[in-house]
Amino acid sequence: MASFLPLNESFNVKKLNSSILILPSISVGNVGQLACDLLITSLKMEKIGYFQPDFFLPVAGYNAFSTCDEDKYEVSINSEVFYKSFQDDGGVVLIQFRAPLMKKFEKKFCERLLAWVKECEISQVVNLTSCHSYERVDSQLTGSPFRFVLSTAAKEFYETFNTAFNWTALEARSTDGEEDETDSVFLPGGGFSKNLFMASKDSDEKVIVFSVFCSEGDNKTEAIWMVDEIDQWLEVKKKSKIEGWSYPSSWVSFYGTPPPEGIF
């Protein structure tokens, strides 16, 4: 089974050349997924296909981005690919997930993702994730909860992130007291992000992991804040010529519909 399944069989993946790939991890508070929903809606991204849906738990539901009755019943599944092109400046490819990645497929998924990135000549991979706030060490209790991790091929961005944007690199932390680089990237509750980072060590692809410390609950605020932060670098609002973010229709009933007035 091919990793990428286009909606239109004639779709040419070379159209994605020089684009940036954004994808969430299914992580604590679903911050990455909420941030991606915000980007899909705001940039009016087009759904172009699916990516490795057999690696995720099966799920199907209503269109999360419905704006009218006509598109309400369009089916959404577990792993969908969206695209937005920018004039003279590549574009954004976004993979959104609606179900957890099965543990036994995590390593294979990361390898296939990076192979697809190379095939499409995508410029860099941006992974949005989140970590348990209760796992912070003393030095992480104050200041911004926003962190980044760079693959070897993406080290060129360190100076810009650290100096121009005042972002903090994720502090190295060993879980067993040994100086093992595999264990130094500690992303508790961060989904497959660590596996993606480790897979990138054997790849020439530029992988950037952005994370925020948070707790379970209503994390729309953290998602908006995360998108604001990364847009300082990606400038997708400017490239799309939009003034601000548009909230997806699925956020209207974030905790379900209100109780019927007749019960009071």
Side-chain angles (χ1 to χ4, degrees):
M1 180 179 182
S3 296
F4 175 59
L5 306 172
L7 284 177
N8 187 334
E9 291 184 1
S10 63
F11 184 85
N12 187 351
V13 294
K14 293 301 180 183
K15 183 179 180 180
L16 309 180
N17 286 9
S18 302
S19 294
I20 294 171
L21 172 63
I22 301 175
L23 75 162
S25 288
I26 297 83
S27 55
V28 56
N30 306 105
V31 175
Q33 291 165 284
L34 291 170
C36 285
D37 273 351
L38 192 64
L39 287 169
I40 292 167
T41 302
S42 301
L43 305 183
K44 296 180 172 59
M45 301 185 76
E46 173 192 4
K47 184 161 75 173
I48 59 172
Y50 309 97
F51 190 85
Q52 211 67 67
D54 53 321
F55 283 4
F56 293 79
L57 292 178
V59 68
Y62 286 132
N63 180 7
F65 310 104
S66 173
T67 56
C68 60
D69 289 340
E70 283 73 17
D71 64 3
K72 179 179 179 180
Y73 299 105
E74 180 182 326
V75 176
S76 292
I77 66 168
N78 53 10
S79 177
E80 300 179 320
V81 184
F82 297 83
Y83 178 65
K84 171 72 175 183
S85 62
F86 298 134
Q87 187 174 4
D88 304 322
D89 195 13
V92 172
V93 183
L94 191 150
I95 307 178
Q96 177 63 301
F97 306 120
R98 300 293 180 194
L101 173 62
M102 286 185 272
K103 194 73 176 177
K104 64 181 179 180
F105 291 131
E106 279 193 7
K107 184 176 180 181
K108 186 180 291 187
F109 170 80
C110 294
E111 291 171 349
R112 291 196 179 182
L113 177 71
L114 292 177
W116 184 66
V117 166
K118 183 173 184 178
E119 176 193 350
C120 298
E121 298 181 23
I122 288 172
S123 61
Q124 56 223 23
V125 179
V126 176
N127 176 226
L128 307 181
T129 191
S130 46
C131 295
H132 289 296
S133 59
Y134 63 76
E135 287 281 6
R136 290 174 293 174
V137 295
D138 289 349
S139 62
Q140 297 170 332
L141 294 176
T142 58
S144 172
F146 190 69
R147 294 293 187 272
F148 68 87
V149 183
L150 302 174
S151 68
T152 303
K155 293 295 184 184
E156 65 188 74
F157 298 121
Y158 180 85
E159 194 64 30
T160 300
F161 289 179
N162 187 251
T163 305
F165 303 137
N166 200 29
W167 294 341
T168 303
L170 182 69
E171 296 84 351
R173 180 175 168 187
S174 177
T175 56
D176 58 8
E178 298 180 2
E179 294 298 324
D180 183 353
E181 188 176 357
T182 301
D183 289 332
S184 66
V185 178
F186 187 59
L187 294 165
F192 63 79
S193 291
K194 181 173 179 177
N195 279 331
L196 178 60
F197 172 75
M198 297 312 300
S200 72
K201 290 168 60 64
D202 299 321
S203 168
D204 294 328
E205 308 310 320
K206 298 174 183 177
V207 176
I208 304 98
V209 179
F210 289 114
S211 179
V212 61
F213 293 113
C214 70
S215 301
E216 294 286 3
D218 183 350
N219 288 300
K220 296 193 296 290
T221 300
E222 284 81 356
I224 296 167
W225 180 69
M226 173 177 267
V227 172
D228 279 334
E229 287 294 298
I230 66 171
D231 193 52
Q232 295 182 63
W233 171 48
L234 299 179
E235 297 185 327
V236 294
K237 266 197 301 195
K238 179 180 178 181
K239 294 173 183 176
S240 299
K241 300 178 181 178
I242 58 175
E243 295 296 325
W245 307 120
S246 300
Y247 299 161
S249 58
S250 57
W251 285 17
V252 174
S253 301
F254 199 70
Y255 283 108
T257 55
E261 294 181 2
I263 67 173
F264 299 110

mmCIF file of all heavy atoms in Angstrom, residues 133-171:
data_model
loop_
_atom_site.group_PDB
_atom_site.id
_atom_site.type_symbol
_atom_site.label_atom_id
_atom_site.label_comp_id
_atom_site.label_asym_id
_atom_site.label_seq_id
_atom_site.Cartn_x
_atom_site.Cartn_y
_atom_site.Cartn_z
ATOM 1 N N SER A 133 2.746 19.037 31.722
ATOM 2 C CA SER A 133 3.324 20.129 32.497
ATOM 3 C C SER A 133 3.884 19.646 33.834
ATOM 4 O O SER A 133 4.826 20.228 34.366
ATOM 5 C CB SER A 133 2.284 21.230 32.730
ATOM 6 O OG SER A 133 1.151 20.719 33.410
ATOM 7 N N TYR A 134 3.316 18.546 34.379
ATOM 8 C CA TYR A 134 3.794 18.070 35.681
ATOM 9 C C TYR A 134 5.154 17.386 35.588
ATOM 10 O O TYR A 134 5.765 17.068 36.617
ATOM 11 C CB TYR A 134 2.770 17.135 36.338
ATOM 12 C CG TYR A 134 2.476 15.847 35.602
ATOM 13 C CD1 TYR A 134 3.374 14.779 35.613
ATOM 14 C CD2 TYR A 134 1.289 15.680 34.894
ATOM 15 C CE1 TYR A 134 3.109 13.599 34.952
ATOM 16 C CE2 TYR A 134 1.006 14.500 34.225
ATOM 17 C CZ TYR A 134 1.911 13.462 34.261
ATOM 18 O OH TYR A 134 1.649 12.286 33.598
ATOM 19 N N GLU A 135 5.656 17.164 34.365
ATOM 20 C CA GLU A 135 6.960 16.536 34.190
ATOM 21 C C GLU A 135 8.096 17.562 34.088
ATOM 22 O O GLU A 135 9.251 17.206 33.874
ATOM 23 C CB GLU A 135 6.964 15.672 32.924
ATOM 24 C CG GLU A 135 6.176 14.377 33.036
ATOM 25 C CD GLU A 135 6.941 13.290 33.768
ATOM 26 O OE1 GLU A 135 8.034 13.579 34.294
ATOM 27 O OE2 GLU A 135 6.435 12.154 33.820
ATOM 28 N N ARG A 136 7.775 18.846 34.244
ATOM 29 C CA ARG A 136 8.810 19.870 34.145
ATOM 30 C C ARG A 136 9.803 19.781 35.308
ATOM 31 O O ARG A 136 9.424 19.439 36.429
ATOM 32 C CB ARG A 136 8.182 21.269 34.134
ATOM 33 C CG ARG A 136 7.420 21.605 32.878
ATOM 34 C CD ARG A 136 6.709 22.939 32.997
ATOM 35 N NE ARG A 136 5.638 22.875 34.006
ATOM 36 C CZ ARG A 136 4.931 23.920 34.393
ATOM 37 N NH1 ARG A 136 5.183 25.126 33.878
ATOM 38 N NH2 ARG A 136 3.972 23.783 35.300
ATOM 39 N N VAL A 137 11.045 20.138 35.021
ATOM 40 C CA VAL A 137 12.045 20.266 36.076
ATOM 41 C C VAL A 137 12.053 21.718 36.541
ATOM 42 O O VAL A 137 11.391 22.583 35.951
ATOM 43 C CB VAL A 137 13.443 19.837 35.576
ATOM 44 C CG1 VAL A 137 13.451 18.355 35.235
ATOM 45 C CG2 VAL A 137 13.872 20.659 34.361
ATOM 46 N N ASP A 138 12.803 22.022 37.590
ATOM 47 C CA ASP A 138 12.765 23.357 38.202
ATOM 48 C C ASP A 138 13.043 24.472 37.197
ATOM 49 O O ASP A 138 12.382 25.516 37.216
ATOM 50 C CB ASP A 138 13.775 23.437 39.349
ATOM 51 C CG ASP A 138 13.341 22.615 40.559
ATOM 52 O OD1 ASP A 138 12.176 22.160 40.568
ATOM 53 O OD2 ASP A 138 14.160 22.432 41.476
ATOM 54 N N SER A 139 14.001 24.253 36.305
ATOM 55 C CA SER A 139 14.384 25.303 35.353
ATOM 56 C C SER A 139 13.302 25.592 34.322
ATOM 57 O O SER A 139 13.352 26.613 33.630
ATOM 58 C CB SER A 139 15.683 24.919 34.639
ATOM 59 O OG SER A 139 15.509 23.727 33.886
ATOM 60 N N GLN A 140 12.312 24.697 34.216
ATOM 61 C CA GLN A 140 11.250 24.868 33.227
ATOM 62 C C GLN A 140 9.966 25.442 33.823
ATOM 63 O O GLN A 140 8.992 25.654 33.104
ATOM 64 C CB GLN A 140 10.939 23.512 32.571
ATOM 65 C CG GLN A 140 12.112 22.931 31.801
ATOM 66 C CD GLN A 140 11.869 21.488 31.377
ATOM 67 O OE1 GLN A 140 11.121 20.751 32.033
ATOM 68 N NE2 GLN A 140 12.513 21.067 30.288
ATOM 69 N N LEU A 141 9.968 25.714 35.133
ATOM 70 C CA LEU A 141 8.754 26.166 35.798
ATOM 71 C C LEU A 141 8.445 27.639 35.536
ATOM 72 O O LEU A 141 7.310 28.081 35.690
ATOM 73 C CB LEU A 141 8.857 25.924 37.315
ATOM 74 C CG LEU A 141 8.895 24.455 37.749
ATOM 75 C CD1 LEU A 141 9.085 24.354 39.249
ATOM 76 C CD2 LEU A 141 7.622 23.734 37.326
ATOM 77 N N THR A 142 9.451 28.410 35.190
ATOM 78 C CA THR A 142 9.254 29.835 34.894
ATOM 79 C C THR A 142 9.588 30.117 33.440
ATOM 80 O O THR A 142 10.279 29.336 32.778
ATOM 81 C CB THR A 142 10.138 30.704 35.798
ATOM 82 O OG1 THR A 142 11.514 30.341 35.608
ATOM 83 C CG2 THR A 142 9.760 30.522 37.254
ATOM 84 N N GLY A 143 9.087 31.229 32.934
ATOM 85 C CA GLY A 143 9.341 31.580 31.541
ATOM 86 C C GLY A 143 8.369 30.896 30.607
ATOM 87 O O GLY A 143 7.365 30.309 31.011
ATOM 88 N N SER A 144 8.671 30.954 29.337
ATOM 89 C CA SER A 144 7.789 30.399 28.314
ATOM 90 C C SER A 144 7.745 28.873 28.369
ATOM 91 O O SER A 144 8.772 28.218 28.537
ATOM 92 C CB SER A 144 8.263 30.845 26.922
ATOM 93 O OG SER A 144 7.541 30.173 25.907
ATOM 94 N N PRO A 145 6.547 28.286 28.191
ATOM 95 C CA PRO A 145 6.440 26.819 28.132
ATOM 96 C C PRO A 145 6.722 26.266 26.741
ATOM 97 O O PRO A 145 6.586 25.070 26.502
ATOM 98 C CB PRO A 145 4.981 26.575 28.520
ATOM 99 C CG PRO A 145 4.256 27.785 28.023
ATOM 100 C CD PRO A 145 5.210 28.928 28.191
ATOM 101 N N PHE A 146 7.105 27.124 25.811
ATOM 102 C CA PHE A 146 7.336 26.749 24.410
ATOM 103 C C PHE A 146 8.769 26.258 24.241
ATOM 104 O O PHE A 146 9.716 26.884 24.715
ATOM 105 C CB PHE A 146 7.078 27.969 23.520
ATOM 106 C CG PHE A 146 7.040 27.683 22.050
ATOM 107 C CD1 PHE A 146 6.008 26.948 21.490
ATOM 108 C CD2 PHE A 146 8.022 28.177 21.201
ATOM 109 C CE1 PHE A 146 5.960 26.703 20.127
ATOM 110 C CE2 PHE A 146 7.987 27.949 19.842
ATOM 111 C CZ PHE A 146 6.948 27.207 19.302
ATOM 112 N N ARG A 147 8.949 25.124 23.564
ATOM 113 C CA ARG A 147 10.268 24.549 23.348
ATOM 114 C C ARG A 147 10.410 24.061 21.905
ATOM 115 O O ARG A 147 9.414 23.794 21.223
ATOM 116 C CB ARG A 147 10.499 23.359 24.290
ATOM 117 C CG ARG A 147 10.563 23.714 25.779
ATOM 118 C CD ARG A 147 11.781 24.534 26.112
ATOM 119 N NE ARG A 147 11.944 24.738 27.535
ATOM 120 C CZ ARG A 147 11.395 25.742 28.221
ATOM 121 N NH1 ARG A 147 10.603 26.611 27.597
ATOM 122 N NH2 ARG A 147 11.630 25.869 29.524
ATOM 123 N N PHE A 148 11.656 23.930 21.447
ATOM 124 C CA PHE A 148 11.905 23.362 20.121
ATOM 125 C C PHE A 148 13.036 22.353 20.184
ATOM 126 O O PHE A 148 13.905 22.409 21.050
ATOM 127 C CB PHE A 148 12.219 24.457 19.095
ATOM 128 C CG PHE A 148 13.538 25.174 19.298
ATOM 129 C CD1 PHE A 148 14.720 24.679 18.744
ATOM 130 C CD2 PHE A 148 13.600 26.365 20.015
ATOM 131 C CE1 PHE A 148 15.931 25.334 18.913
ATOM 132 C CE2 PHE A 148 14.798 27.035 20.196
ATOM 133 C CZ PHE A 148 15.974 26.523 19.650
ATOM 134 N N VAL A 149 12.983 21.399 19.249
ATOM 135 C CA VAL A 149 14.029 20.392 19.075
ATOM 136 C C VAL A 149 14.376 20.350 17.593
ATOM 137 O O VAL A 149 13.474 20.318 16.750
ATOM 138 C CB VAL A 149 13.560 18.985 19.532
ATOM 139 C CG1 VAL A 149 14.699 17.978 19.397
ATOM 140 C CG2 VAL A 149 13.050 19.019 20.962
ATOM 141 N N LEU A 150 15.658 20.349 17.275
ATOM 142 C CA LEU A 150 16.107 20.368 15.882
ATOM 143 C C LEU A 150 16.858 19.094 15.519
ATOM 144 O O LEU A 150 17.701 18.622 16.295
ATOM 145 C CB LEU A 150 17.035 21.570 15.633
ATOM 146 C CG LEU A 150 16.466 22.959 15.918
ATOM 147 C CD1 LEU A 150 17.553 24.012 15.757
ATOM 148 C CD2 LEU A 150 15.305 23.261 14.988
ATOM 149 N N SER A 151 16.559 18.549 14.361
ATOM 150 C CA SER A 151 17.335 17.428 13.845
ATOM 151 C C SER A 151 18.704 17.940 13.411
ATOM 152 O O SER A 151 18.923 19.160 13.304
ATOM 153 C CB SER A 151 16.619 16.778 12.656
ATOM 154 O OG SER A 151 16.612 17.660 11.540
ATOM 155 N N THR A 152 19.610 17.026 13.150
ATOM 156 C CA THR A 152 20.966 17.421 12.738
ATOM 157 C C THR A 152 20.937 18.319 11.506
ATOM 158 O O THR A 152 21.633 19.336 11.437
ATOM 159 C CB THR A 152 21.812 16.172 12.459
ATOM 160 O OG1 THR A 152 21.829 15.337 13.622
ATOM 161 C CG2 THR A 152 23.236 16.555 12.091
ATOM 162 N N ALA A 153 20.095 17.975 10.539
ATOM 163 C CA ALA A 153 20.029 18.747 9.290
ATOM 164 C C ALA A 153 19.384 20.116 9.484
ATOM 165 O O ALA A 153 19.520 20.988 8.618
ATOM 166 C CB ALA A 153 19.245 17.954 8.240
ATOM 167 N N ALA A 154 18.701 20.313 10.611
ATOM 168 C CA ALA A 154 17.997 21.582 10.849
ATOM 169 C C ALA A 154 18.724 22.482 11.839
ATOM 170 O O ALA A 154 18.169 23.519 12.256
ATOM 171 C CB ALA A 154 16.583 21.296 11.349
ATOM 172 N N LYS A 155 19.951 22.149 12.219
ATOM 173 C CA LYS A 155 20.688 22.938 13.207
ATOM 174 C C LYS A 155 20.901 24.383 12.754
ATOM 175 O O LYS A 155 21.133 25.270 13.580
ATOM 176 C CB LYS A 155 22.044 22.282 13.487
ATOM 177 C CG LYS A 155 21.972 20.920 14.184
ATOM 178 C CD LYS A 155 21.406 21.032 15.587
ATOM 179 C CE LYS A 155 21.440 19.683 16.296
ATOM 180 N NZ LYS A 155 20.805 19.743 17.637
ATOM 181 N N GLU A 156 20.793 24.628 11.457
ATOM 182 C CA GLU A 156 20.994 25.986 10.937
ATOM 183 C C GLU A 156 19.972 26.972 11.495
ATOM 184 O O GLU A 156 20.188 28.185 11.476
ATOM 185 C CB GLU A 156 20.909 25.973 9.414
ATOM 186 C CG GLU A 156 19.527 25.587 8.894
ATOM 187 C CD GLU A 156 19.490 25.375 7.386
ATOM 188 O OE1 GLU A 156 20.006 24.336 6.930
ATOM 189 O OE2 GLU A 156 18.943 26.252 6.695
ATOM 190 N N PHE A 157 18.828 26.450 11.984
ATOM 191 C CA PHE A 157 17.774 27.332 12.488
ATOM 192 C C PHE A 157 17.989 27.735 13.945
ATOM 193 O O PHE A 157 17.272 28.604 14.449
ATOM 194 C CB PHE A 157 16.405 26.647 12.364
ATOM 195 C CG PHE A 157 15.996 26.334 10.956
ATOM 196 C CD1 PHE A 157 15.724 25.027 10.575
ATOM 197 C CD2 PHE A 157 15.874 27.343 10.007
ATOM 198 C CE1 PHE A 157 15.348 24.731 9.279
ATOM 199 C CE2 PHE A 157 15.493 27.054 8.700
ATOM 200 C CZ PHE A 157 15.233 25.747 8.341
ATOM 201 N N TYR A 158 18.959 27.133 14.623
ATOM 202 C CA TYR A 158 19.103 27.373 16.059
ATOM 203 C C TYR A 158 19.298 28.849 16.384
ATOM 204 O O TYR A 158 18.622 29.396 17.273
ATOM 205 C CB TYR A 158 20.271 26.563 16.627
ATOM 206 C CG TYR A 158 20.447 26.777 18.113
ATOM 207 C CD1 TYR A 158 19.709 26.042 19.037
ATOM 208 C CD2 TYR A 158 21.318 27.762 18.595
ATOM 209 C CE1 TYR A 158 19.836 26.261 20.394
ATOM 210 C CE2 TYR A 158 21.451 27.995 19.950
ATOM 211 C CZ TYR A 158 20.706 27.246 20.851
ATOM 212 O OH TYR A 158 20.823 27.479 22.198
ATOM 213 N N GLU A 159 20.192 29.499 15.698
ATOM 214 C CA GLU A 159 20.507 30.900 16.002
ATOM 215 C C GLU A 159 19.295 31.797 15.803
ATOM 216 O O GLU A 159 19.010 32.676 16.621
ATOM 217 C CB GLU A 159 21.673 31.380 15.125
ATOM 218 C CG GLU A 159 22.292 32.691 15.581
ATOM 219 C CD GLU A 159 22.951 32.592 16.952
ATOM 220 O OE1 GLU A 159 23.436 31.499 17.305
ATOM 221 O OE2 GLU A 159 22.942 33.614 17.663
ATOM 222 N N THR A 160 18.563 31.566 14.731
ATOM 223 C CA THR A 160 17.358 32.360 14.463
ATOM 224 C C THR A 160 16.313 32.151 15.543
ATOM 225 O O THR A 160 15.734 33.106 16.070
ATOM 226 C CB THR A 160 16.762 31.990 13.096
ATOM 227 O OG1 THR A 160 17.720 32.247 12.075
ATOM 228 C CG2 THR A 160 15.500 32.803 12.814
ATOM 229 N N PHE A 161 16.060 30.895 15.882
ATOM 230 C CA PHE A 161 15.049 30.585 16.888
ATOM 231 C C PHE A 161 15.430 31.167 18.254
ATOM 232 O O PHE A 161 14.592 31.738 18.955
ATOM 233 C CB PHE A 161 14.871 29.071 17.029
ATOM 234 C CG PHE A 161 14.182 28.408 15.860
ATOM 235 C CD1 PHE A 161 13.975 27.035 15.837
ATOM 236 C CD2 PHE A 161 13.724 29.155 14.778
ATOM 237 C CE1 PHE A 161 13.328 26.423 14.786
ATOM 238 C CE2 PHE A 161 13.079 28.552 13.708
ATOM 239 C CZ PHE A 161 12.893 27.178 13.706
ATOM 240 N N ASN A 162 16.686 31.006 18.616
ATOM 241 C CA ASN A 162 17.137 31.395 19.939
ATOM 242 C C ASN A 162 17.298 32.914 20.085
ATOM 243 O O ASN A 162 16.944 33.482 21.129
ATOM 244 C CB ASN A 162 18.459 30.690 20.261
ATOM 245 C CG ASN A 162 18.908 30.914 21.680
ATOM 246 O OD1 ASN A 162 19.874 31.625 21.934
ATOM 247 N ND2 ASN A 162 18.208 30.319 22.635
ATOM 248 N N THR A 163 17.797 33.557 19.041
ATOM 249 C CA THR A 163 18.101 34.984 19.121
ATOM 250 C C THR A 163 16.971 35.865 18.602
ATOM 251 O O THR A 163 16.490 36.764 19.300
ATOM 252 C CB THR A 163 19.384 35.298 18.332
ATOM 253 O OG1 THR A 163 20.447 34.465 18.805
ATOM 254 C CG2 THR A 163 19.775 36.756 18.494
ATOM 255 N N ALA A 164 16.516 35.588 17.377
ATOM 256 C CA ALA A 164 15.496 36.451 16.767
ATOM 257 C C ALA A 164 14.126 36.284 17.430
ATOM 258 O O ALA A 164 13.396 37.263 17.620
ATOM 259 C CB ALA A 164 15.403 36.153 15.274
ATOM 260 N N PHE A 165 13.775 35.044 17.790
ATOM 261 C CA PHE A 165 12.441 34.785 18.349
ATOM 262 C C PHE A 165 12.449 34.530 19.862
ATOM 263 O O PHE A 165 11.389 34.386 20.465
ATOM 264 C CB PHE A 165 11.802 33.586 17.631
ATOM 265 C CG PHE A 165 11.701 33.751 16.144
ATOM 266 C CD1 PHE A 165 12.007 32.705 15.285
ATOM 267 C CD2 PHE A 165 11.309 34.966 15.584
ATOM 268 C CE1 PHE A 165 11.914 32.853 13.905
ATOM 269 C CE2 PHE A 165 11.213 35.120 14.210
ATOM 270 C CZ PHE A 165 11.516 34.065 13.370
ATOM 271 N N ASN A 166 13.655 34.430 20.426
ATOM 272 C CA ASN A 166 13.790 34.200 21.868
ATOM 273 C C ASN A 166 13.118 32.899 22.318
ATOM 274 O O ASN A 166 12.534 32.827 23.400
ATOM 275 C CB ASN A 166 13.220 35.391 22.654
ATOM 276 C CG ASN A 166 13.747 35.434 24.083
ATOM 277 O OD1 ASN A 166 14.856 34.991 24.367
ATOM 278 N ND2 ASN A 166 12.931 35.963 24.994
ATOM 279 N N TRP A 167 13.196 31.874 21.473
ATOM 280 C CA TRP A 167 12.664 30.571 21.824
ATOM 281 C C TRP A 167 13.730 29.755 22.544
ATOM 282 O O TRP A 167 14.932 29.948 22.329
ATOM 283 C CB TRP A 167 12.214 29.813 20.572
ATOM 284 C CG TRP A 167 11.036 30.441 19.866
ATOM 285 C CD1 TRP A 167 10.145 31.331 20.371
ATOM 286 C CD2 TRP A 167 10.643 30.206 18.510
ATOM 287 N NE1 TRP A 167 9.215 31.675 19.426
ATOM 288 C CE2 TRP A 167 9.483 31.001 18.270
ATOM 289 C CE3 TRP A 167 11.129 29.409 17.475
ATOM 290 C CZ2 TRP A 167 8.831 31.013 17.040
ATOM 291 C CZ3 TRP A 167 10.485 29.420 16.248
ATOM 292 C CH2 TRP A 167 9.337 30.207 16.040
ATOM 293 N N THR A 168 13.293 28.828 23.362
ATOM 294 C CA THR A 168 14.200 28.003 24.164
ATOM 295 C C THR A 168 14.251 26.583 23.612
ATOM 296 O O THR A 168 13.213 25.965 23.381
ATOM 297 C CB THR A 168 13.735 27.954 25.631
ATOM 298 O OG1 THR A 168 13.639 29.287 26.141
ATOM 299 C CG2 THR A 168 14.704 27.151 26.482
ATOM 300 N N ALA A 169 15.461 26.089 23.409
ATOM 301 C CA ALA A 169 15.620 24.691 22.983
ATOM 302 C C ALA A 169 15.243 23.776 24.149
ATOM 303 O O ALA A 169 15.480 24.106 25.320
ATOM 304 C CB ALA A 169 17.054 24.433 22.552
ATOM 305 N N LEU A 170 14.633 22.638 23.843
ATOM 306 C CA LEU A 170 14.257 21.683 24.882
ATOM 307 C C LEU A 170 15.496 21.224 25.632
ATOM 308 O O LEU A 170 16.472 20.777 25.023
ATOM 309 C CB LEU A 170 13.542 20.477 24.267
ATOM 310 C CG LEU A 170 13.058 19.424 25.262
ATOM 311 C CD1 LEU A 170 11.914 19.976 26.113
ATOM 312 C CD2 LEU A 170 12.616 18.159 24.535
ATOM 313 N N GLU A 171 15.444 21.351 26.932
ATOM 314 C CA GLU A 171 16.576 20.985 27.760
ATOM 315 C C GLU A 171 16.833 19.481 27.699
ATOM 316 O O GLU A 171 15.903 18.683 27.778
ATOM 317 C CB GLU A 171 16.320 21.395 29.219
ATOM 318 C CG GLU A 171 16.187 22.888 29.442
ATOM 319 C CD GLU A 171 14.789 23.434 29.172
ATOM 320 O OE1 GLU A 171 13.948 22.664 28.649
ATOM 321 O OE2 GLU A 171 14.529 24.607 29.456
#
